[in-house]
Amino acid sequence: MRRPAILQLQIVLKSSFRYTHSMKNNSEMVKQSTEATAQQLLEETDTDSRTRTYRGPAGIAVTVLLCIWTAFQLYFSTVGVISAVNLRAAHSIFLLLFTFLLYPAHRRENRIRRLPPLYDIALILLAVFTFGYLMLHYTAIARAGGRINTLQAVIAAVALIVIFEAARRTAFNLAVLAALFLAYNFFGAFIPGQLGHNGFTLKRVLITQFWGTQGVLGVGIGVSATYIFLFVVFGAFLKQSGFSQFINDFSLTLVGRTPGGPAKVAVIASALMGMINGSAVANVATTGTITIPLMKQTGYKKEFAGAVEATASTGGQFCPPIMGAVGFVMAEFLNLSYTKVMLAAILPAFLYYLGILMSVHFEAKRLGLSGLSKENIPQALTVIKKQGHLALPLIFLIAMMAKGFTPLLAAVAAIFVTIAASWLRKETRMTPDKILAACVEGARGAVGVGISCVIIGVIIGTVTLTSLGLNMGYVILRAVPGNIYLTGFLVMIMSTVLGMGVPGVAAYVIVQAVAVPVLLKVGITPVAAHMFCLIYACLSNITPPVAISCYVAAGIAQANQFKTGLWAVRLGLIGFLMPFFFLNNPVLLIGADASASLLTTLLASVSASLGTIALTAALEGFFIRQASPVDRVLLAATAPLFLYPGLLTDGIGLAILAFVILKQLKLRKPLRPELEP
């Protein structure tokens, strides 16, 4: 998400919170300071916020090119006819073009310019030449069995150099990781044991990485050229229509008056915004500038406030119906319809956010915090009447996919429905300027994640060529033969490490390439294996020591980063534990277990919800009232009983939970232990 989009969203959020508290004389200065801090932190952690701004004719030219790219993608995603390889190559040209136009080569470069530097013009020409040559000669090379001459090998090498330079500017950590994988193609021959290989020639590596469909033109860029681009643009249109304001106003009407209301509003709003934009870090930097200070004013500790925002923003990446576009990538890998992937993600996402909401609620009750007063809460009917029509595009999108239409067609149609819906009321009407801004913002927003998808092609190509995924699986299986949960634990660590500092979609693609084969080897179903990797790849955003989302949130809250990270892990603990329970019993993934009846799924959902509530109550030390150490131990013990589907475990859990409830109802004098993460 770029700076203009951030400022626009902050303005929307400010207006949506106009009901929450009266302004003091110096509040505007405090807010400006908070926004400046958030922008500085975002620039330190997110390269998407460090883009160039062009003045004069160059600025107009960039805007026109971005609109042309948007039109190109919309046309060939619907009625246009183009081969998959040519679409991916053309998409790569646009990605590299805008990377070298918008992203500076180094941090100290002056980002206000009238023309791009000469070296970036040279890189753009190289990108156009190499990928243009591929589009012209790919068919002939494929018919020749993939044999290439010296010139074509040089072109492939130049293209890889250009791609790595683009990735260095947009996703440095990912570029380093891809370089290590690329080196493994050559130096893996010197590694002894199961992780070594026989070695490959330079030409063989270049064919796989550039001239085949297993490398940079593989499934990663394929998904970027279709699903990711369209849904990023769709999200930009939703923002320009005022959907963000509707989310926050409606959230206030739902939970604003309950204990800890502002924090619950932050959870709901951040979940919905994170689901749309797919970037946890950018979401923290935008919504956090409003929600974090508000939570602190309500009475929450600053570390807790930062952790709530970071945790809620992170979960949006696996929250249906959009899932930050990563769900479409999973559907491609699984060769399933997106509807099935979305259904499988519903219960994990629900339990994750239920855990956060209950943590916020129990913490508010423990601290004696109240909700907002009635006069500071907008009327639900008023909000729905004035802004409810803005939800029509999302409803239309879900309905189209449920009817069996492709996500691509549904996304394009939803973009036009967004414009039409905004015209239902004068206050929300999208003018031509807003439509143009949405096209530009959407295209710019697709550049960073698109380049990540290109560079992860190097990783996928290496895994495919060297069989690294299978070899890694053999090593893990030899260490923990046949044990599902120990295998899952090792995969969890691997997924979290590989996902640190990497955008959600890219993190998942990397993790699934290495980890999914391992899980499949021990008998885990494909849907459960992919969902397992997705959740942990996303949660790497709040996992210390890196925890980029927590770093930004802690900076906004002026809190200790490490403590904020610990609070975030505690708030999102259900997300770290729950995937282990659907490894051996995928009934928690709706539709993944064909033998599970509707009643079985419903019972599993209810029991898992009870387990989530019990776990958060044990962690917060509050249930019906302040919990004693014995109560907390008993509540913690019920959580795994409820999370593991089964009548016996559910019965034992219910008995223990009933005992705790009766015990707390009889307790008159509450205890007040001070809790630290």
Side-chain angles (χ1 to χ4, degrees):
M1 183 177 291
R2 308 302 193 276
R3 184 184 180 96
I6 290 172
L7 294 179
Q8 291 169 5
L9 184 52
Q10 287 172 348
I11 293 171
V12 169
L13 285 169
K14 287 177 191 175
S15 64
S16 69
F17 278 95
R18 61 188 179 276
Y19 306 101
T20 59
H21 61 285
S22 60
M23 301 293 291
K24 295 183 179 180
N25 292 334
N26 63 344
S27 61
E28 192 60 36
M29 295 177 60
V30 173
K31 282 191 175 183
Q32 290 175 359
S33 175
T34 303
E35 292 167 4
T37 301
Q39 182 61 31
Q40 181 181 357
L41 291 167
L42 189 62
E43 291 186 1
E44 291 178 8
T45 58
D46 186 17
T47 54
D48 286 355
S49 62
R50 298 195 298 265
T51 54
R52 294 170 179 155
T53 300
Y54 288 96
R55 299 282 179 82
I60 298 174
V62 170
T63 299
V64 171
L65 286 172
L66 287 167
C67 292
I68 290 174
W69 185 24
T70 302
F72 172 87
Q73 296 287 163
L74 291 176
Y75 175 74
F76 283 108
S77 295
T78 51
V79 297
V81 179
I82 187 173
S83 69
V85 170
N86 284 343
L87 175 62
R88 296 174 184 185
H91 185 71
S92 299
I93 290 174
F94 278 114
L95 287 173
L96 293 169
L97 166 67
F98 290 114
T99 297
F100 297 126
L101 281 178
L102 299 175
Y103 289 80
H106 52 85
R107 292 196 176 195
R108 295 184 179 180
E109 178 187 308
N110 181 12
R111 297 203 296 269
I112 307 298
R113 310 188 64 92
R114 289 191 175 274
L115 289 172
L118 290 177
Y119 53 80
D120 279 341
I121 294 176
L123 288 170
I124 290 170
L125 293 176
L126 286 175
V128 173
F129 171 74
T130 53
F131 280 93
Y133 185 92
L134 182 144
M135 294 173 70
L136 292 174
H137 295 86
Y138 178 83
T139 302
I141 292 175
R143 288 175 178 173
R147 291 187 295 272
I148 61 174
N149 57 36
T150 303
L151 173 63
Q152 291 162 345
V154 171
I155 288 174
V158 171
L160 286 178
I161 293 172
V162 172
I163 289 169
F164 269 96
E165 170 57 17
R168 183 191 67 82
R169 300 188 187 191
T170 60
F172 179 77
N173 293 342
L174 195 53
V176 172
L177 183 63
L180 293 175
F181 272 80
L182 185 63
Y184 177 75
N185 287 283
F186 306 105
F187 298 105
F190 302 101
I191 299 176
Q194 194 73 48
L195 293 180
H197 57 72
N198 294 329
F200 302 95
T201 64
L202 176 61
K203 183 172 285 190
R204 175 73 181 279
V205 173
L206 291 175
I207 291 172
T208 300
Q209 297 291 357
F210 184 73
W211 288 107
T213 56
Q214 299 296 326
V216 296
L217 292 181
V219 66
I221 188 62
V223 173
S224 173
T226 51
Y227 302 117
I228 293 176
F229 186 91
L230 291 181
F231 278 88
V232 169
V233 172
F234 174 55
F237 271 85
L238 283 179
K239 293 172 190 175
Q240 291 292 333
S241 71
F243 181 71
S244 305
Q245 180 174 340
F246 168 66
I247 287 174
N248 288 278
D249 285 351
F250 191 66
S251 299
L252 276 173
T253 66
L254 291 177
V255 295
R257 296 186 63 186
T258 62
K264 294 175 184 176
V265 171
V267 172
I268 296 174
S270 298
L272 293 173
M273 290 307 303
M275 171 190 70
I276 294 170
N277 63 32
S279 174
V281 178
N283 199 38
V284 170
T286 52
T287 61
T289 55
I290 302 299
T291 59
I292 292 175
L294 189 58
M295 283 187 277
K296 289 170 64 179
Q297 292 175 16
T298 305
Y300 288 106
K301 294 179 181 179
K302 53 188 179 182
E303 286 83 9
F304 185 88
V308 168
E309 179 60 43
T311 310
S313 296
T314 296
Q317 296 174 98
F318 56 88
C319 182
I322 297 179
M323 300 174 66
V326 73
F328 303 107
V329 185
M330 184 184 295
E332 286 287 321
F333 285 130
L334 287 168
N335 196 24
L336 293 175
S337 68
Y338 175 68
T339 304
K340 293 184 178 179
V341 173
M342 182 176 65
L343 286 174
I346 286 176
L347 191 53
F350 172 77
L351 295 177
Y352 180 80
Y353 281 104
L354 177 64
I356 302 174
L357 286 170
M358 295 310 299
S359 293
V360 166
H361 178 77
F362 289 141
E363 182 73 4
K365 297 289 287 185
R366 188 179 72 84
L367 297 175
L369 305 180
S370 60
L372 299 172
S373 58
K374 184 177 180 180
E375 57 270 18
N376 291 326
I377 302 294
Q379 294 291 327
L381 291 178
T382 302
V383 171
I384 294 174
K385 181 179 178 181
K386 291 185 177 181
Q387 301 168 285
H389 61 286
L390 298 176
L392 290 176
L394 200 57
I395 297 171
F396 180 81
L397 173 73
I398 297 171
M400 281 197 69
M401 289 192 294
K403 286 288 186 180
F405 290 95
T406 65
L408 297 180
L409 182 60
V412 174
I415 290 173
F416 290 100
V417 171
T418 303
I419 300 173
S422 72
W423 277 68
L424 294 177
R425 291 190 67 87
K426 183 178 180 181
E427 296 80 4
T428 60
R429 186 172 298 169
M430 290 187 70
T431 60
D433 288 344
K434 287 187 176 182
I435 295 174
L436 178 65
C439 291
V440 171
E441 180 184 339
R444 288 174 67 105
V447 175
V449 68
I451 290 295
S452 295
C453 289
V454 174
I455 196 65
I456 61 177
V458 174
I459 299 174
I460 303 301
T462 299
V463 171
T464 302
L465 181 62
T466 64
S467 299
L468 178 61
L470 292 175
N471 294 336
M472 184 74 73
Y474 291 133
V475 171
I476 294 178
L477 291 174
R478 186 173 297 175
V480 286
N483 191 305
I484 289 180
Y485 297 107
L486 285 178
T487 302
F489 179 74
L490 293 177
V491 169
M492 177 193 74
I493 295 175
M494 182 167 56
S495 301
T496 304
V497 171
L498 289 176
M500 286 182 176
V502 179
V505 176
Y508 162 69
V509 174
I510 296 170
V511 168
Q512 68 81 31
V514 180
V516 165
V518 180
L519 296 173
L520 295 179
K521 282 287 183 181
V522 293
I524 297 169
T525 62
V527 174
H530 279 268
M531 194 64 68
F532 188 89
C533 293
L534 169 62
I535 292 174
Y536 285 117
C538 294
L539 292 180
S540 62
N541 278 283
I542 59 170
T543 306
V546 179
I548 294 180
S549 295
C550 295
Y551 172 76
V552 176
I556 297 173
Q558 298 179 340
N560 180 278
Q561 180 186 351
F562 186 70
K563 286 187 176 181
T564 303
L566 291 181
W567 271 108
V569 171
R570 177 170 157 174
L571 288 169
L573 186 59
I574 188 65
F576 288 94
L577 296 178
M578 172 194 43
F580 284 93
F581 291 93
F582 62 64
L583 280 181
N584 195 33
N585 194 342
V587 69
L588 291 176
L589 304 177
I590 299 174
D593 187 355
S595 62
S597 64
L598 179 60
L599 179 61
T600 302
T601 303
L602 182 61
L603 290 175
S605 303
V606 173
S607 64
S609 300
L610 291 175
T612 300
I613 295 171
L615 178 63
T616 54
L619 292 172
E620 295 299 328
F622 193 100
F623 191 36
I624 298 173
R625 58 179 69 236
Q626 299 290 338
S628 68
V630 174
D631 292 339
R632 298 177 69 181
V633 170
L634 291 174
L635 287 168
T638 63
L641 294 172
F642 280 125
L643 286 170
Y644 187 85
L647 293 178
L648 178 61
T649 54
D650 289 350
I652 297 173
L654 283 172
I656 298 175
L657 186 63
F659 173 77
V660 175
I661 292 173
L662 291 174
K663 183 175 179 294
Q664 287 219 328
L665 289 175
K666 291 181 178 180
L667 185 64
R668 294 184 179 180
K669 295 182 179 180
L671 302 174
R672 286 189 173 271
E674 289 296 326
L675 303 180
E676 291 294 336

